[in-house]
């Protein structure tokens, strides 16, 4: 039997072998409680401190204390949007996001409306790039938080974060950037980029699930979303997930070290994949042709539906994603694909391939021919 | 399983090798349900002789369960009298497929409706012929 080809790193990244090796130093995951002052506790403190330094280094944060650990990107996004808005509401009661943010940014922003905030979504162009003029009009002096992701997970487009930061800071508010998909794949520097809060996910770096981090620029005040003890500067109470944090730290270190070479390698595979698949009749690239994440290839196919594409590809041994409504829990069309101007029926036919360490150039031809076969088979059934 | 996402083996069999795919030229009855905006569109063509569905074909745009339910309903209806075929329900189709994930029960289980629409179309044509 042919080996399976895994192309859904946007959903889950296999743990990096170097991370797995590093994590084995903790016997059965035991690492003590960092809030204690005996030897085991001090060792745990040192472990967390080491991880904090590695994560800070990945994103150019000079002060490791500016990193707090969370349970993942969803929690980081919640603290960043909700915690910053509520803590600084004397500045004003407005929040702004792009129209294609992750649901864990959009939902806390929507939820703030119950606290009297006005929430504005800024449109993107057909490639998914934020409309900077519309952003400049939307961000006001009363806008406490503006949240724009570094790159989108469905269409791979990288946003012009430095320009976004200029607009936001010109009005005096804070910029939150969800870098879940971009971190470890393209260089990020919170100083150079002018980022006040930055979301990171352990798993997208090759670490375990259930851990994430939030960079908070020194001086930016945030209130916690969940309340309890004083861990993580009181911003994320609860005993630290020391094991997970340690593994995330190592994943961040390896990602930084391997990024230049690995991103170049993935870019090469991605470009071949895009060339092959867009050669199929009525197949189109979604997202930006150049300004896109190095591991990300996304498409849409006319007259067929994404879940059937995913199922058929799976039967051919290939795991891909789709933005099809039929695979979502809500059964609603992808807000990202609608925001880039696709009609509902066009948005149904999407396929997303996200690459990782284990993928190789040799796999491209099999993926392209499986896609071709799948598209042909489904078009033979379609009434459209 | 309350949160079951995956499909039964039977669904996958019908999805990978759907039965009775295609069109019937000048069909005796034609039914179409759903629309591409919702992500599911099915059409069913029937050939009727002596009140029995002698031949049936379908074409479907949609997800795995949309394709599998279309295939299954054509299997169930073929050779049945119109009256029997009218009694085939969405639940019958789902049961024959060894179940569908809960959230697919409504949105992508329209095949029985398409069959009924085709039979309705046939009957209306008959009526017109009788009165015309």
């Amino acid at each position: 039997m042919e080996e399976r080809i895994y192309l859904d790193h946007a959903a889950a990244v296999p743990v990096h072998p170097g991370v797995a090796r590093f994590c084995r130093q903790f016997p059965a995951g035991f690492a003590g409680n960092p809030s204690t002052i005996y030897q085991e506790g001090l060792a745990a403190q040192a472990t967390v401190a080491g991880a904090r330094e590695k994560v800070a280094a990945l994103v150019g944060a000079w002060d490791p204390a500016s990193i707090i650990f969370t349970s993942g990107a969803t929690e980081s996004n919640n603290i960043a949007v909700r915690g910053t808005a509520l803590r600084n509401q004397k500045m004003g009661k407005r929040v702004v996001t792009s129209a294609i943010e992750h649901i864990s940014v959009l939902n806390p922003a929507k939820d703030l409306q119950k606290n009297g905030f006005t929430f504005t979504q800024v449109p993107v162009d057909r490639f998914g790039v934020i409309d900077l003029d519309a952003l400049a009009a939307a961000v006001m002096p009363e806008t406490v938080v503006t949240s724009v992701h570094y790159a989108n997970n469905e269409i791979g487009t990288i946003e012009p974060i430095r320009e976004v930061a200029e607009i936001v800071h010109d009005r005096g508010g804070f910029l939150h950037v969800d870098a879940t998909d971009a971190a470890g794949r393209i260089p990020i520097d919170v100083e150079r980029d002018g980022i006040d809060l930055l979301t990171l996910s352990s798993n997208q770096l090759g670490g375990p699930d259930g851990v994430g981090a939030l960079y908070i620029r020194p001086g930016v005040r945030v209130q916690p979303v969940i309340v309890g003890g004083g861990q993580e500067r009181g911003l994320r109470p609860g005993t630290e997930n020391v094991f997970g944090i340690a593994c995330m730290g190592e994943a961040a270190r390896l990602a930084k070290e391997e990024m230049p070479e690995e991103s170049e390698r993935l870019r090469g595979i991605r470009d071949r994949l895009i060339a092959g698949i867009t050669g199929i009749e009525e197949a189109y690239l979604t997202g930006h042709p150049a300004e896109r994440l190095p591991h990300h290839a996304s498409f849409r196919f006319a007259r067929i539906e994404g879940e059937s594409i995913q199922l058929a590809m799976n039967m051919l041994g290939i795991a891909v994603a789709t933005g099809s409504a039929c695979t979502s829990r809500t059964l609603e069309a992808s807000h990202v694909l609608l925001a880039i101007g696709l009609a509902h029926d066009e948005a149904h036919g999407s396929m997303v391939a996200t690459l990782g360490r284990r993928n190789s150039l040799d796999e491209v031809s099999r993926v392209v021919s499986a896609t071709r076969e799948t598209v042909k088979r489904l078009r033979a059934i379609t009434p459209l | 399983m309350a949160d079951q996402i995956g499909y039964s083996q039977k669904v996958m069999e019908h999805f990978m090798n759907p039965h009775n795919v295609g069109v019937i030229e000048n069909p005796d009855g034609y039914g179409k349900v759903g629309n591409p905006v919702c992500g599911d569109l099915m059409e069913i063509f029937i050939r009727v002789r002596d009140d029995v569905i002698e031949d049936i074909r379908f074409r479907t745009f949609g997800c795995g369960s949309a394709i599998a339910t279309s295939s299954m309903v054509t299997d169930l209806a073929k050779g049945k009298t119109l009256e029997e075929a009218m009694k085939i329900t969405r639940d019958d189709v789902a049961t024959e497929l060894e179940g569908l994930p809960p959230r697919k029960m409504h949105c992508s289980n329209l095949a029985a409706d398409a069959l009924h629409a085709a039979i309705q179309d046939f009957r209306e044509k008959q009526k017109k012929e009788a009165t015309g």
Side-chain angles (χ1 to χ4, degrees):
Chain A
M1 202 181 128
E2 275 186 304
E3 268 188 50
R4 285 190 61 84
I5 300 179
Y6 182 75
L7 296 177
D8 194 10
H9 289 80
V13 175
V15 171
H16 188 299
V19 173
R21 262 195 306 280
F22 179 87
C23 295
R24 263 180 232 129
Q25 68 178 286
F26 303 97
F30 178 75
N33 186 328
S35 298
T36 56
I37 56 162
Y38 42 74
Q39 191 178 320
E40 291 81 355
L42 296 176
Q45 272 180 42
T47 299
V48 172
R52 217 183 290 282
E53 281 174 23
K54 292 177 190 171
V55 172
L58 175 68
V59 298
W62 58 268
D63 182 6
S66 59
I67 302 291
I68 64 162
F69 288 105
T70 67
S71 65
T74 288
E75 190 186 351
S76 295
N77 284 340
N78 270 265
I79 298 172
V81 174
R82 191 168 176 75
T84 311
L86 290 178
R87 180 65 179 78
N88 298 283
Q89 53 186 308
K90 276 187 191 151
M91 286 170 59
K93 292 189 103 171
R94 288 181 176 275
V95 285
V96 171
T97 75
S98 88
I100 61 171
E101 293 304 309
H102 191 261
I103 199 76
S104 60
V105 164
L106 294 178
N107 276 348
K110 270 180 207 160
D111 201 47
L112 280 167
Q113 295 176 132
K114 292 182 199 147
N115 298 81
F117 279 77
T118 304
F119 169 35
T120 313
Q121 293 187 55
V122 177
V124 296
D125 68 13
R126 67 194 176 100
F127 300 117
V129 178
I130 191 163
D131 179 338
L132 291 171
D133 292 334
L135 181 75
V139 181
M140 298 174 189
E142 301 79 31
T143 305
V144 191
V145 188
T146 301
S147 184
V148 178
H149 53 18
Y150 219 106
N152 183 271
N153 69 335
E154 274 186 63
I155 55 174
T157 301
I158 301 169
E159 301 296 340
I161 288 301
R162 270 174 269 180
E163 284 89 335
V164 169
E166 261 178 50
I167 291 170
V168 172
H169 293 145
D170 186 53
R171 314 295 193 278
F174 301 115
L175 172 62
H176 167 243
V177 174
D178 176 3
T180 300
D181 297 276
R185 296 188 171 115
I186 54 173
I188 293 174
D189 187 313
V190 290
E191 294 301 330
R192 174 201 70 192
D193 297 335
I195 294 167
D196 299 309
L197 301 113
L198 184 91
T199 290
L200 297 167
S201 150
S202 158
N203 181 246
Q204 284 298 308
L205 300 172
D209 283 316
V211 197
L214 179 65
Y215 161 81
I216 306 170
R217 175 177 295 281
V220 176
R221 292 182 174 191
V222 178
Q223 75 180 48
V225 167
I226 54 171
V227 289
Q231 291 92 345
E232 300 298 286
R233 295 195 282 136
L235 291 174
R236 207 297 178 161
T239 298
E240 296 86 344
N241 172 5
V242 178
F243 180 72
I245 289 169
C247 301
M248 179 182 183
E250 185 63 5
R253 189 188 70 77
L254 286 165
K256 184 175 162 68
E257 185 179 292
E258 295 175 357
M259 191 187 334
E261 207 171 314
E262 179 64 359
S263 290
E264 205 43 47
R265 191 185 73 87
L266 294 179
R267 200 172 278 124
I269 304 174
R270 178 204 68 184
D271 289 346
R272 288 275 285 276
L273 194 59
I274 290 176
I277 290 180
T278 52
I280 297 170
E281 209 175 311
E282 291 181 276
Y284 310 95
L285 183 75
T286 57
H288 202 284
E291 293 300 318
R292 67 184 302 132
L293 291 173
H295 74 307
H296 199 290
S298 53
F299 310 93
R300 71 172 183 86
F301 304 93
R303 300 184 288 117
I304 57 176
E305 192 279 329
E307 192 213 73
S308 0
I309 299 173
Q310 190 180 40
L311 284 173
M313 292 291 281
N314 179 49
M315 297 304 278
L316 297 172
I318 301 168
V320 292
T322 173
S324 159
C326 298
T327 58
S328 71
R329 284 181 196 279
T330 56
L331 299 171
E332 280 168 14
S334 151
H335 67 290
V336 176
L337 299 178
L338 297 179
I340 61 171
L342 296 186
H344 271 88
D345 55 326
E346 294 172 328
H348 286 301
S350 76
M351 179 177 103
V352 183
T354 41
L355 305 162
R357 288 175 48 81
R358 297 182 193 174
N359 295 120
S360 70
L361 211 46
D362 306 339
E363 294 170 336
V364 170
S365 62
R366 209 182 116 202
V367 176
V368 173
S369 49
T371 309
R372 190 179 292 279
E373 185 185 325
T374 295
V375 169
K376 190 178 161 195
R377 205 170 71 70
L378 293 173
R379 286 211 178 125
I381 310 179
T382 191
L384 296 173
Chain B
M1 259 188 291
D3 201 30
Q4 178 198 343
I5 286 174
Y7 289 127
S8 70
Q9 201 168 343
K10 198 90 187 165
V11 170
M12 287 311 294
E13 280 169 27
H14 278 266
F15 169 71
M16 288 308 285
N17 294 297
H19 308 164
N20 307 308
V21 173
V23 299
I24 296 172
E25 296 299 332
N26 306 312
D28 296 323
Y30 170 73
K32 182 172 164 180
V33 297
N35 71 64
V37 171
C38 306
D40 285 312
L41 177 69
M42 302 173 188
E43 49 182 18
I44 283 184
F45 305 80
I46 52 173
R47 174 80 65 221
V48 181
R49 180 172 294 183
D50 301 333
D51 234 32
V52 168
I53 297 177
E54 190 187 60
D55 196 9
I56 179 164
R57 301 276 152 178
F58 84 89
R59 290 196 307 187
T60 292
F61 162 84
C63 64
S65 61
I67 291 170
T69 53
S70 305
S71 170
M72 179 53 85
V73 90
T74 60
D75 273 359
L76 291 178
K78 202 166 183 173
K80 291 232 163 65
T81 66
L82 295 178
E83 200 179 331
E84 287 166 340
M86 277 307 275
K87 286 183 189 149
I88 298 171
T89 64
R90 290 180 174 203
D91 280 349
D92 294 338
V93 176
T95 305
E96 286 296 322
L97 285 169
E98 293 163 6
L100 287 174
R103 65 210 167 102
K104 296 283 184 181
M105 283 299 284
H106 298 290
C107 72
S108 308
N109 191 5
L110 303 171
D113 301 3
L115 170 67
H116 299 160
I119 295 169
Q120 210 60 47
D121 178 53
F122 169 75
R123 286 181 171 162
E124 271 161 34
K125 278 183 189 162
Q126 292 290 94
K127 234 184 264 170
K128 264 187 209 162
E129 266 173 40
T131 56

